[in-house]
Amino acid sequence: MNYAVLAFILFAIGAVAVLTRRNAIIALMGVELMLNSCNLALVTFARMHGDITGQTVAFFVMVVAAAEVVIGLGIIVSIFRTRRSASVDAPNLLKN
Amino acid sequence: MTTNAIAATGNVELIWLAVAIPLVSAGILLLAGKGANRWGHWLGILASLGSLVIGVMAALDLLGQDSSNRIQEHILYEWIPGGDLDVALGFRVDPLSITFVLLVTFVGTLIHIYSVAYMEKDRDRRRFFAYLNLFVASMLLLVLGNSYLVLFVGWEGVGLASYLLIGFWNQVPEYATAGKKAFVMNRVGDMGMLLAMMTMFASFGTVSFDGVAGAAGGASEGVLTAIGIFLLVAACGKSAQFPLQAWLGDAMAGPTPVSALIHAATMVTAGVYLMVRSGFIFEGAPTAQLLVAIIGTITLIFGAIVGSAKDDMKKVLAASTMSQIGYMMLAAGLGPIGAAFAIFHLVTHGFFKAGMFLGAGSVMHAMNDEVDMRGFGGLWKHMKVTWVTFGLGYLAIIGFPFLSGFYSKDYIIEAAFVGEGWQPWVFGTATLLVAGLTAFYMSRLFFMVFHGKPRWSSEGPNAKHPHESPALMTIPMIILAIGSVGLGWFLDAGDRFVTFLEPVTGAVEHLEPVIPVPVIIGLTLTLVAIGVAVAYVMYVRNDVPAKAPAANVLVNAARNDLHQDAINENLFMRPGQWLTRGVDGTDRGLIDGLVMAVARSFGSVGRSIGKIQNGYARSYAGVMTLGIVVVVILALAARI
């Protein structure tokens, strides 16, 4: 049960990081934190129910997170190259 | 009276050509363009002449027949076959229609000839002749149609031609307005015609004269009264009868030959034609018939009062036409005793009034298109032919013994004195008094124009050099003047004309007037003499002031057509405008407002939602988070 509460707190920290920080790297770190909190919750629930489905899903989440980081970092780097900034608010060219 | 028609034979079968020739000619003239300017007017005359020849041929054929065979129909083709309504395009040739054909084509041809000279300097003369031909074709269709629907086509056709011709000089906004006014007021009347036809179709299932006449015998009085009143409304519009009379005075804006052709001899008489033609309906509807007589009486008094005060030569003649047609309507409203006399007066009036209009045109020609009689005087020395022909027409209209008008008008006055109760006294007295009034205002016109001291000068900026008009103008005037003199006597001899009309109007019963006939004639002549004498004293003995003198309320009212325009404006036009304004306001405010409010609310919702799409990734994430929180809370709430 404590693990579930920890996972909730971690998720909240991650979410706030994503919502408030302007730097894309930090935001990405927030996303990672949220994913990890999810993993923690999944593993915890798997343990609580004596079912390995949660652990399996956690494994998938890790794979997806790794892939996401690769793509996310790629996007951030290319944005940084063209605009000399890693802010998430600056690239709003698609607006309108 | 309700004899059915027999199939046409001989020359009568050709009667459709009388309509077709001027129609084709009008088409050619309108399409030919400027190239036809040199010969267009001659084609117009030729077309009118062709109709006259065909009319005469048919008339001779008809006269050769026994009087029981004098109602003939010629069906050209099935025009509207379908459902319960079958309408054939058919022509009906009978004494009544052939009388009109002869009058229209004869007077029409003379006016065509006159117009060649009158319109010589007008660059649109070809167009003018096209319209004249269109008018002749429509008028002939009107009188020759064998059903109300065919009649209605001609009815609308003359309305159109009249509109085109009144507004012929449409570069002058006033004239264009006059044309529009005539058109609109005629439409009001036409509504009556449409209603009458619809009622006929609903009640009898037919609109042909024979069919309606056959069914009218067994119809209820209420239906016949309704039809009769609707027909009366139609006649009021076309014939400028009370209360739809206001357009005729303004219609004088058109070229003078138009006033002569349309507004004296033919179109405005169509209402009388309709009344007489529909005699079988009025026979079964005494209320409607009485109403016709009352309308006629009101109009004949109205026209005479207006005519006595106007200074515009043509408007006096127009008011006089209105008044004379009032006589005819009154006669038509008296039933068979009056109907034949109405047509009799119509024919003689067609001659002398057309003659006087042409005379007025001739005077205008001589006086630089001036129409104010106060600027005339003493013209008889300068234009002898016009003076004599106009004078003969003038004597005919006031009922000078043994001229045309004497016969026809006297019969109407006598017929008005026939009847029971209050009617003969009211109608008879009105006709008698207006006979005197007619003498006064026509003498006033005649004396102011041709006699007294000249009130124009041949020097200065307004120099006028009166001269006689060319032969092309005077010859038609002379022919019409001969008609004004001799026609009444010729048609009256041995009751020739009235007997000829009998198959249509019914036999004239010889009823005794409430006052002996010689007394009526004596009274009429006395009143006419008084009218002439008063006019002589006022306008020959005394000088005519160049400006209309200040006058009392009554005279001012008469000068302003008894305020009919103001009445129409306040009674019909203003409320109409309010109504349209109200409808417009409702449309804009209520209907549009509702639609626009809905659209605006959707728009503002859209705009506020649009604000969320600001392009900031973090705000999207925030919204998403908020959404998730809401969903989670809802899910939890649902579980509890």
Side-chain angles (χ1 to χ4, degrees), chain B residues 11 14-25 41-59 98 101-102 104-110 112-113 133 136-137 140 144:
Chain B
N11 291 336
L14 295 175
I15 199 73
W16 62 274
L17 276 171
V19 178
I21 292 173
L23 196 63
V24 169
S25 162
H41 42 284
W42 300 115
L43 177 70
I45 292 177
L46 221 60
S48 182
L49 206 62
S51 292
L52 173 61
V53 169
I54 286 165
V56 168
M57 273 159 53
I98 205 73
V101 170
L102 293 180
V104 171
T105 52
F106 187 73
V107 176
T109 306
L110 290 179
H112 273 75
I113 294 169
N133 272 333
V136 168
L140 291 178
L144 283 170

Short mmCIF file of all heavy atoms in Angstrom, two decimals, chain B residues 11 14-25 41-59 98 101-102 104-110 112-113 133 136-137 140 144:
data_model
loop_
_atom_site.label_atom_id
_atom_site.label_comp_id
_atom_site.label_asym_id
_atom_site.label_seq_id
_atom_site.Cartn_x
_atom_site.Cartn_y
_atom_site.Cartn_z
N ASN B 11 -66.72 34.57 -94.17
CA ASN B 11 -65.66 35.50 -93.79
C ASN B 11 -65.46 35.58 -92.29
O ASN B 11 -64.39 35.99 -91.83
CB ASN B 11 -66.00 36.89 -94.32
CG ASN B 11 -65.91 36.95 -95.83
OD1 ASN B 11 -65.20 36.14 -96.43
ND2 ASN B 11 -66.63 37.87 -96.44
N LEU B 14 -62.49 34.12 -90.76
CA LEU B 14 -61.19 34.80 -90.91
C LEU B 14 -60.94 35.81 -89.80
O LEU B 14 -59.90 36.46 -89.79
CB LEU B 14 -61.15 35.52 -92.26
CG LEU B 14 -61.19 34.61 -93.48
CD1 LEU B 14 -61.25 35.44 -94.75
CD2 LEU B 14 -59.96 33.71 -93.51
N ILE B 15 -61.88 35.92 -88.87
CA ILE B 15 -61.80 37.02 -87.90
C ILE B 15 -60.50 36.96 -87.08
O ILE B 15 -60.01 37.99 -86.63
CB ILE B 15 -63.04 37.02 -86.97
CG1 ILE B 15 -63.20 38.38 -86.30
CG2 ILE B 15 -62.97 35.92 -85.94
CD1 ILE B 15 -63.70 39.45 -87.24
N TRP B 16 -59.95 35.76 -86.92
CA TRP B 16 -58.71 35.67 -86.12
C TRP B 16 -57.59 36.48 -86.74
O TRP B 16 -56.68 36.94 -86.06
CB TRP B 16 -58.29 34.21 -85.94
CG TRP B 16 -57.97 33.52 -87.22
CD1 TRP B 16 -58.83 32.89 -88.05
CD2 TRP B 16 -56.67 33.38 -87.80
NE1 TRP B 16 -58.18 32.36 -89.12
CE2 TRP B 16 -56.84 32.65 -89.00
CE3 TRP B 16 -55.38 33.80 -87.44
CZ2 TRP B 16 -55.76 32.34 -89.84
CZ3 TRP B 16 -54.32 33.48 -88.26
CH2 TRP B 16 -54.52 32.77 -89.46
N LEU B 17 -57.68 36.66 -88.07
CA LEU B 17 -56.64 37.47 -88.74
C LEU B 17 -56.65 38.91 -88.24
O LEU B 17 -55.60 39.56 -88.19
CB LEU B 17 -56.89 37.45 -90.24
CG LEU B 17 -56.32 36.24 -90.99
CD1 LEU B 17 -56.83 36.24 -92.42
CD2 LEU B 17 -54.80 36.26 -90.96
N ALA B 18 -57.83 39.38 -87.86
CA ALA B 18 -57.92 40.76 -87.37
C ALA B 18 -57.05 40.96 -86.15
O ALA B 18 -56.52 42.04 -85.91
CB ALA B 18 -59.37 41.09 -87.05
N VAL B 19 -56.90 39.90 -85.34
CA VAL B 19 -56.03 40.00 -84.17
C VAL B 19 -54.59 39.73 -84.58
O VAL B 19 -53.66 40.40 -84.13
CB VAL B 19 -56.46 38.98 -83.09
CG1 VAL B 19 -55.52 39.03 -81.91
CG2 VAL B 19 -57.89 39.24 -82.67
N ALA B 20 -54.41 38.75 -85.48
CA ALA B 20 -53.06 38.30 -85.80
C ALA B 20 -52.26 39.36 -86.55
O ALA B 20 -51.08 39.57 -86.28
CB ALA B 20 -53.13 37.01 -86.61
N ILE B 21 -52.92 40.06 -87.49
CA ILE B 21 -52.17 40.99 -88.34
C ILE B 21 -51.48 42.09 -87.53
O ILE B 21 -50.26 42.25 -87.62
CB ILE B 21 -53.07 41.56 -89.45
CG1 ILE B 21 -53.45 40.46 -90.43
CG2 ILE B 21 -52.37 42.70 -90.18
CD1 ILE B 21 -54.48 40.88 -91.45
N PRO B 22 -52.23 42.83 -86.71
CA PRO B 22 -51.52 43.87 -85.94
C PRO B 22 -50.51 43.30 -84.95
O PRO B 22 -49.48 43.94 -84.68
CB PRO B 22 -52.64 44.61 -85.21
CG PRO B 22 -53.87 43.84 -85.40
CD PRO B 22 -53.69 42.90 -86.52
N LEU B 23 -50.80 42.09 -84.46
CA LEU B 23 -49.86 41.49 -83.51
C LEU B 23 -48.53 41.20 -84.19
O LEU B 23 -47.45 41.53 -83.67
CB LEU B 23 -50.48 40.20 -82.95
CG LEU B 23 -49.83 39.65 -81.69
CD1 LEU B 23 -50.02 40.64 -80.57
CD2 LEU B 23 -50.46 38.32 -81.31
N VAL B 24 -48.62 40.59 -85.39
CA VAL B 24 -47.40 40.29 -86.14
C VAL B 24 -46.69 41.58 -86.50
O VAL B 24 -45.46 41.70 -86.36
CB VAL B 24 -47.74 39.48 -87.40
CG1 VAL B 24 -46.55 39.38 -88.33
CG2 VAL B 24 -48.24 38.10 -87.02
N SER B 25 -47.47 42.57 -86.92
CA SER B 25 -46.87 43.84 -87.29
C SER B 25 -46.14 44.47 -86.11
O SER B 25 -45.03 44.98 -86.24
CB SER B 25 -47.97 44.77 -87.80
OG SER B 25 -47.54 46.10 -87.77
N HIS B 41 -43.95 53.16 -89.74
CA HIS B 41 -45.29 53.69 -89.47
C HIS B 41 -46.29 53.29 -90.54
O HIS B 41 -47.46 53.09 -90.26
CB HIS B 41 -45.24 55.20 -89.29
CG HIS B 41 -44.36 55.90 -90.26
ND1 HIS B 41 -42.99 55.89 -90.17
CD2 HIS B 41 -44.67 56.59 -91.38
CE1 HIS B 41 -42.49 56.60 -91.17
NE2 HIS B 41 -43.47 57.01 -91.92
N TRP B 42 -45.79 53.17 -91.77
CA TRP B 42 -46.73 52.76 -92.82
C TRP B 42 -47.17 51.32 -92.61
O TRP B 42 -48.33 50.97 -92.85
CB TRP B 42 -46.09 52.92 -94.21
CG TRP B 42 -45.70 54.36 -94.47
CD1 TRP B 42 -44.45 54.86 -94.64
CD2 TRP B 42 -46.59 55.49 -94.54
NE1 TRP B 42 -44.49 56.22 -94.81
CE2 TRP B 42 -45.78 56.64 -94.76
CE3 TRP B 42 -47.97 55.65 -94.43
CZ2 TRP B 42 -46.33 57.91 -94.86
CZ3 TRP B 42 -48.51 56.91 -94.54
CH2 TRP B 42 -47.68 58.05 -94.76
N LEU B 43 -46.25 50.47 -92.18
CA LEU B 43 -46.63 49.08 -91.87
C LEU B 43 -47.69 49.06 -90.77
O LEU B 43 -48.67 48.31 -90.85
CB LEU B 43 -45.39 48.28 -91.43
CG LEU B 43 -45.69 46.84 -91.03
CD1 LEU B 43 -46.07 46.01 -92.24
CD2 LEU B 43 -44.49 46.20 -90.32
N GLY B 44 -47.49 49.91 -89.77
CA GLY B 44 -48.45 49.98 -88.67
C GLY B 44 -49.84 50.33 -89.18
O GLY B 44 -50.84 49.71 -88.82
N ILE B 45 -49.90 51.35 -90.06
CA ILE B 45 -51.20 51.77 -90.61
C ILE B 45 -51.80 50.63 -91.41
O ILE B 45 -52.99 50.31 -91.30
CB ILE B 45 -51.02 53.01 -91.50
CG1 ILE B 45 -50.63 54.20 -90.64
CG2 ILE B 45 -52.29 53.29 -92.28
CD1 ILE B 45 -50.36 55.44 -91.42
N LEU B 46 -50.96 49.97 -92.20
CA LEU B 46 -51.43 48.88 -93.06
C LEU B 46 -52.03 47.76 -92.21
O LEU B 46 -53.08 47.20 -92.55
CB LEU B 46 -50.25 48.34 -93.87
CG LEU B 46 -50.55 48.01 -95.32
CD1 LEU B 46 -51.02 49.27 -96.04
CD2 LEU B 46 -49.32 47.45 -96.00
N ALA B 47 -51.37 47.45 -91.09
CA ALA B 47 -51.86 46.37 -90.23
C ALA B 47 -53.23 46.73 -89.66
O ALA B 47 -54.17 45.93 -89.68
CB ALA B 47 -50.88 46.12 -89.10
N SER B 48 -53.35 47.98 -89.20
CA SER B 48 -54.62 48.42 -88.64
C SER B 48 -55.71 48.41 -89.72
O SER B 48 -56.84 47.98 -89.48
CB SER B 48 -54.44 49.82 -88.07
OG SER B 48 -55.61 50.27 -87.49
N LEU B 49 -55.32 48.83 -90.91
CA LEU B 49 -56.25 48.84 -92.03
C LEU B 49 -56.69 47.42 -92.38
O LEU B 49 -57.87 47.17 -92.67
CB LEU B 49 -55.57 49.49 -93.24
CG LEU B 49 -56.49 50.14 -94.27
CD1 LEU B 49 -57.27 51.27 -93.65
CD2 LEU B 49 -55.66 50.64 -95.45
N GLY B 50 -55.72 46.49 -92.32
CA GLY B 50 -56.05 45.09 -92.61
C GLY B 50 -57.11 44.57 -91.65
O GLY B 50 -58.08 43.92 -92.05
N SER B 51 -56.95 44.90 -90.36
CA SER B 51 -57.95 44.49 -89.38
C SER B 51 -59.30 45.09 -89.69
O SER B 51 -60.34 44.44 -89.57
CB SER B 51 -57.52 44.92 -87.98
OG SER B 51 -56.40 44.20 -87.58
N LEU B 52 -59.28 46.35 -90.13
CA LEU B 52 -60.53 47.03 -90.45
C LEU B 52 -61.22 46.30 -91.60
O LEU B 52 -62.43 46.04 -91.55
CB LEU B 52 -60.25 48.48 -90.83
CG LEU B 52 -61.45 49.28 -91.35
CD1 LEU B 52 -62.53 49.37 -90.31
CD2 LEU B 52 -61.03 50.68 -91.76
N VAL B 53 -60.45 45.94 -92.64
CA VAL B 53 -61.03 45.27 -93.80
C VAL B 53 -61.66 43.95 -93.38
O VAL B 53 -62.80 43.63 -93.74
CB VAL B 53 -59.95 45.05 -94.88
CG1 VAL B 53 -60.48 44.12 -95.97
CG2 VAL B 53 -59.53 46.38 -95.47
N ILE B 54 -60.92 43.19 -92.56
CA ILE B 54 -61.45 41.90 -92.12
C ILE B 54 -62.70 42.10 -91.27
O ILE B 54 -63.68 41.37 -91.39
CB ILE B 54 -60.36 41.13 -91.35
CG1 ILE B 54 -59.35 40.63 -92.36
CG2 ILE B 54 -60.95 39.97 -90.58
CD1 ILE B 54 -58.07 40.17 -91.76
N GLY B 55 -62.66 43.10 -90.41
CA GLY B 55 -63.83 43.40 -89.59
C GLY B 55 -65.03 43.74 -90.45
O GLY B 55 -66.14 43.26 -90.21
N VAL B 56 -64.82 44.56 -91.48
CA VAL B 56 -65.93 44.96 -92.35
C VAL B 56 -66.48 43.74 -93.08
O VAL B 56 -67.70 43.55 -93.19
CB VAL B 56 -65.47 46.04 -93.36
CG1 VAL B 56 -66.51 46.25 -94.43
CG2 VAL B 56 -65.20 47.34 -92.63
N MET B 57 -65.55 42.88 -93.56
CA MET B 57 -66.00 41.68 -94.27
C MET B 57 -66.87 40.80 -93.37
O MET B 57 -67.94 40.33 -93.76
CB MET B 57 -64.79 40.87 -94.77
CG MET B 57 -64.30 41.32 -96.12
SD MET B 57 -62.58 40.83 -96.43
CE MET B 57 -62.63 39.11 -96.11
N ALA B 58 -66.40 40.62 -92.12
CA ALA B 58 -67.17 39.79 -91.18
C ALA B 58 -68.51 40.45 -90.86
O ALA B 58 -69.54 39.78 -90.78
CB ALA B 58 -66.37 39.58 -89.90
N ALA B 59 -68.49 41.77 -90.74
CA ALA B 59 -69.72 42.48 -90.41
C ALA B 59 -70.74 42.33 -91.54
O ALA B 59 -71.93 42.09 -91.29
CB ALA B 59 -69.43 43.95 -90.17
N ILE B 98 -68.77 42.70 -83.01
CA ILE B 98 -68.42 43.26 -84.31
C ILE B 98 -68.54 44.79 -84.28
O ILE B 98 -67.78 45.50 -84.93
CB ILE B 98 -69.29 42.65 -85.44
CG1 ILE B 98 -68.55 42.74 -86.77
CG2 ILE B 98 -70.64 43.33 -85.56
CD1 ILE B 98 -67.42 41.81 -86.91
N VAL B 101 -65.33 45.78 -82.93
CA VAL B 101 -64.26 45.59 -83.90
C VAL B 101 -64.25 46.76 -84.87
O VAL B 101 -63.19 47.34 -85.16
CB VAL B 101 -64.44 44.25 -84.65
CG1 VAL B 101 -63.50 44.17 -85.83
CG2 VAL B 101 -64.22 43.09 -83.70
N LEU B 102 -65.43 47.12 -85.37
CA LEU B 102 -65.48 48.20 -86.34
C LEU B 102 -65.04 49.52 -85.71
O LEU B 102 -64.27 50.28 -86.30
CB LEU B 102 -66.90 48.34 -86.91
CG LEU B 102 -67.35 47.14 -87.76
CD1 LEU B 102 -68.76 47.36 -88.26
CD2 LEU B 102 -66.40 46.91 -88.92
N VAL B 104 -63.09 49.98 -83.06
CA VAL B 104 -61.67 49.98 -82.71
C VAL B 104 -60.81 50.11 -83.96
O VAL B 104 -59.88 50.93 -84.02
CB VAL B 104 -61.30 48.67 -81.96
CG1 VAL B 104 -59.80 48.56 -81.80
CG2 VAL B 104 -61.99 48.63 -80.62
N THR B 105 -61.12 49.33 -84.98
CA THR B 105 -60.26 49.37 -86.16
C THR B 105 -60.44 50.67 -86.93
O THR B 105 -59.47 51.24 -87.43
CB THR B 105 -60.55 48.17 -87.08
OG1 THR B 105 -61.94 48.12 -87.34
CG2 THR B 105 -60.09 46.89 -86.45
N PHE B 106 -61.67 51.17 -87.00
CA PHE B 106 -61.89 52.39 -87.78
C PHE B 106 -61.24 53.58 -87.09
O PHE B 106 -60.38 54.27 -87.67
CB PHE B 106 -63.39 52.63 -87.96
CG PHE B 106 -63.71 53.77 -88.88
CD1 PHE B 106 -63.52 53.64 -90.25
CD2 PHE B 106 -64.16 54.98 -88.38
CE1 PHE B 106 -63.78 54.70 -91.09
CE2 PHE B 106 -64.43 56.04 -89.23
CZ PHE B 106 -64.24 55.91 -90.58
N VAL B 107 -61.62 53.81 -85.85
CA VAL B 107 -61.02 54.94 -85.12
C VAL B 107 -59.51 54.71 -84.98
O VAL B 107 -58.71 55.63 -85.14
CB VAL B 107 -61.69 55.10 -83.74
CG1 VAL B 107 -61.01 56.19 -82.94
CG2 VAL B 107 -63.15 55.42 -83.89
N GLY B 108 -59.14 53.44 -84.73
CA GLY B 108 -57.72 53.13 -84.58
C GLY B 108 -56.93 53.47 -85.83
O GLY B 108 -55.85 54.06 -85.75
N THR B 109 -57.47 53.13 -86.99
CA THR B 109 -56.74 53.42 -88.23
C THR B 109 -56.59 54.93 -88.42
O THR B 109 -55.51 55.41 -88.78
CB THR B 109 -57.49 52.80 -89.43
OG1 THR B 109 -57.68 51.42 -89.17
CG2 THR B 109 -56.70 52.97 -90.70
N LEU B 110 -57.68 55.65 -88.15
CA LEU B 110 -57.59 57.12 -88.29
C LEU B 110 -56.51 57.67 -87.36
O LEU B 110 -55.73 58.56 -87.74
CB LEU B 110 -58.94 57.76 -87.95
CG LEU B 110 -60.06 57.51 -88.96
CD1 LEU B 110 -61.34 58.19 -88.49
CD2 LEU B 110 -59.67 58.06 -90.32
N HIS B 112 -53.93 56.09 -86.19
CA HIS B 112 -52.63 55.71 -86.74
C HIS B 112 -52.17 56.74 -87.78
O HIS B 112 -51.02 57.20 -87.75
CB HIS B 112 -52.72 54.34 -87.44
CG HIS B 112 -52.50 53.17 -86.51
ND1 HIS B 112 -53.43 52.75 -85.61
CD2 HIS B 112 -51.44 52.33 -86.39
CE1 HIS B 112 -52.97 51.72 -84.95
NE2 HIS B 112 -51.76 51.42 -85.39
N ILE B 113 -53.11 57.08 -88.68
CA ILE B 113 -52.75 58.02 -89.74
C ILE B 113 -52.35 59.37 -89.14
O ILE B 113 -51.34 59.97 -89.51
CB ILE B 113 -53.93 58.19 -90.73
CG1 ILE B 113 -54.17 56.86 -91.46
CG2 ILE B 113 -53.66 59.30 -91.72
CD1 ILE B 113 -55.46 56.81 -92.24
N ASN B 133 -50.07 49.14 -82.52
CA ASN B 133 -50.53 47.89 -83.12
C ASN B 133 -50.79 46.84 -82.05
O ASN B 133 -51.78 46.10 -82.12
CB ASN B 133 -49.50 47.36 -84.11
CG ASN B 133 -49.73 47.95 -85.48
OD1 ASN B 133 -50.85 48.30 -85.83
ND2 ASN B 133 -48.70 48.05 -86.26
N VAL B 136 -54.08 47.59 -80.59
CA VAL B 136 -55.22 47.22 -81.44
C VAL B 136 -55.45 45.71 -81.37
O VAL B 136 -56.59 45.24 -81.19
CB VAL B 136 -54.98 47.69 -82.88
CG1 VAL B 136 -56.01 47.07 -83.82
CG2 VAL B 136 -55.05 49.20 -82.96
N ALA B 137 -54.35 44.94 -81.46
CA ALA B 137 -54.48 43.48 -81.41
C ALA B 137 -55.10 43.05 -80.09
O ALA B 137 -56.03 42.23 -80.05
CB ALA B 137 -53.11 42.83 -81.61
N LEU B 140 -58.80 43.95 -79.83
CA LEU B 140 -59.64 43.08 -80.65
C LEU B 140 -59.79 41.71 -79.99
O LEU B 140 -60.87 41.11 -80.00
CB LEU B 140 -59.06 42.95 -82.06
CG LEU B 140 -59.14 44.24 -82.89
CD1 LEU B 140 -58.50 44.05 -84.25
CD2 LEU B 140 -60.59 44.68 -83.05
N LEU B 144 -63.27 40.03 -78.97
CA LEU B 144 -63.63 38.88 -79.80
C LEU B 144 -63.58 37.56 -79.03
O LEU B 144 -64.09 36.56 -79.53
CB LEU B 144 -62.71 38.80 -81.02
CG LEU B 144 -63.03 39.79 -82.14
CD1 LEU B 144 -61.93 39.80 -83.17
CD2 LEU B 144 -64.35 39.42 -82.79
#
